[in-house]
Amino acid sequence: MGLQPLEFSDCYLDSPWFRERVRAHEAELEKTNKFIKELLKDGKNLIAATKNLSAAQRKFAHSLRDFKFEFIGDAETDDERYIDASLHEFSNFLKNLEEQREILALSVTETLIKPLERFRKEQLGAVKEEKKKFDKETEKNYSLLEKHLNLSAKKKELQLQEADNQVEQNRKHFYELSLEYVCKLQEIQERKKFECVEPVLSFFQGLFTFYHQGYELAKDFNHYKMALQINIQNTRNRFEGTRSEVEELMNKIRRNPQEHKRANHFTMEGYLYVQEKRPAPFGSSWVKHYCMYRKETKKFSMIPFEHRSGGKVGDAELFVLTYCTKRNTDTIDRRFCFDLEASDRPGVPVTMQAFSEEDRKLWMEALDGKEAVSIIFKIFFYSAQLDKIGFTIIKKCISAVETRGINDQGLYRVVGVSSKVQRLLSLLMDSKTCNEVDLENSVDWEVKTITSAMKQYLRSLPEPLMTYELHGEFIVPAKSGSPESRVNAVHFLVHKLPEKNKEMLEILVKHLANVSKHAKRNLMTVANLGVVFGPTLMRPQEETVAAIMDLKFQNIVVEILIENHEKIFKTLPDATFPEPISMSVSPPNAPPRQSRRQGQRIKRPLAVYNLCLELDDADSHSSPREDTPTGSMDSLSSQSPTPAFSSSPLGLLDGNHLIMDSGDLAGWTTNLPAQSRPSMVSWMNIPSANPAATDAALPTFFFPSPATDTDKAVESVAHRKARAVYPCEAEHSSELSFQIGAIFEDVQFSREPGWLEGTLNGKRGLIPQNYVQFL
């Protein structure tokens, strides 16, 4: 049962029951006071904890932002660039989240703490003061009454009358104070319900706003997360391929180090101990040197080196070799020694000690010393050739795979038994038995045996299908450039291949494209096929770790071949397309998409707009497909955008937008070598009517806002056609969704900065300006 109401009439009776009801009200208010006091304490602790959490989150965000992964080699893949930029994106995400948390902390102070403190001080404090007055008047009233009642009746009438008046006045004052106190008690009992709950409601509203902002940030982050998962999976797949190649190279070198020496301009190099003679009676000492010898010039150089001190301990010494002779153990008390004589010091031999007898033999042979022992290096190759038998082998294997195993999971990744593969390959490579082998109908040969034999044949060619000569040129476009420029460069280079190489490559790539179409069943996406066939089709001439680090770019080239095989093999390349050049500066591959709506939050994860994957409509807002655990359904080799970095050489990032004016770009292009500028302009698709205008022209990927002078210069392109160079999904009914290659009609500038208006399939709408290229 709740508190009983305090009747005003009871103030005049002042009965024991009235007093009990008053005490009940007072006890309730005291309980309310303690509750508010404890709530204020907890609220302040919450604010302090929130600030500590925010500080820790910001520190964590700074750590993420300040770290950058170093990579091996001279370039990164798009996937690796995304992964490198991801830490910065995570930092931005946390920073945006913490800004909302700070707003929450401020709202707790303003909406909860201050109102409750004001209520406790002004309202409950006032009741306490009223209680003090009421208690004081109660005591005074009853004390005076007792004193009055104790007056003797023998007092004079005037005295008694004065005493009666005084008691009556005091009683009236007491009743008035009692009435006010009862009114205040009941008022505060009703007021506390909304005065206490309303601030708590405001606090929860702020809390819900914070969580809603977190939800919005998470929703914005979802596209980036999905793409990053694909980047990570692609990088993981490439890592697995690279790791196996590195381990294989390591094991080869471990078995026979001399057969895998790196090709360089030194005939021989390595550590030797050099005898340094001292005056008697100190004898001589042996100092380790790193020695290098060039047979063509007979120049011998050596550098003293001490591992314990961590480096060189002296200057390099260079001399021209005259002769080298072996030292026998009967002339010196050390083994594995030989003497060298320099042309500038005739008759003063230098004694050196090798690490072993075998090591001495190698040095003696390189130095043309006496008793030099030749070492025969045996390299075994299959007698695979690009001849009629070779084409027959490839065609038979492809036909069998497409007939029997196109849907087999892990096709080309699952390896056959080595002995069976060798036996099948020997039968296929023998002109007498090749035509007799039935791969399509025979159960003797498993699909994994056929695929392994096919890969082994391609690896056994004296030269890879894409040739040693063009190896480096194929790698260059995979390391830089826009998606379109990569395809054009690979297209151009494929048609420089020898005819037989190009013909066999076309047969193989057409088959791999067919395999990738069944990726939902066989799990062999374009990216996975690139991992498998990159090292096979683009085998480096020299096996080194540096070459293996380029495997990921070989994979990208193969992905480009598969994704664009119709264009590359069925059409001739542009005769005016320049040969690929190595570029130290390249523009970002992905444009940031500007936010159009004013009501949208300004601070959003930057790369959300940089990622428009070619996903099915059903998958565009869901997690990656469950049936593709080994990688993405779509390769990012030629279509994945690259995050815009704040340190981009092309401009500065402001919020979500890339800021660049014509002067920035002009300076960038004019600083390049003069002979490379025309090809750079062609590569960036900069429309230029004359050479003088080339430097000032802007690429269509990086238009400033329409209000700038540069846009006034290009307003002539209004009402022209444009082609999409990136896919995009509309975020509003007024925007257009489109895929790469979509052609827009009647394109003109919109009043929205960074947007165009155009017509696609009869529908007119807005298009991100940096997602299209004018035709």
Side-chain angles (χ1 to χ4, degrees), residues 646-674:
S646 59
S647 58
S648 168
L650 296 180
L652 300 175
L653 287 169
D654 178 20
N656 294 339
H657 311 299
L658 185 64
I659 302 173
M660 180 200 291
D661 57 30
S662 57
D664 295 334
L665 184 64
W668 179 58
T669 53
T670 51
N671 288 335
L672 293 170

Side-chain angles (χ1 to χ4, degrees), residues 287-289 303-316:
V287 180
K288 184 164 65 174
H289 288 65
I303 304 171
F305 189 90
E306 174 55 59
H307 285 98
R308 284 189 293 271
S309 63
K312 295 188 296 181
V313 293
D315 297 327

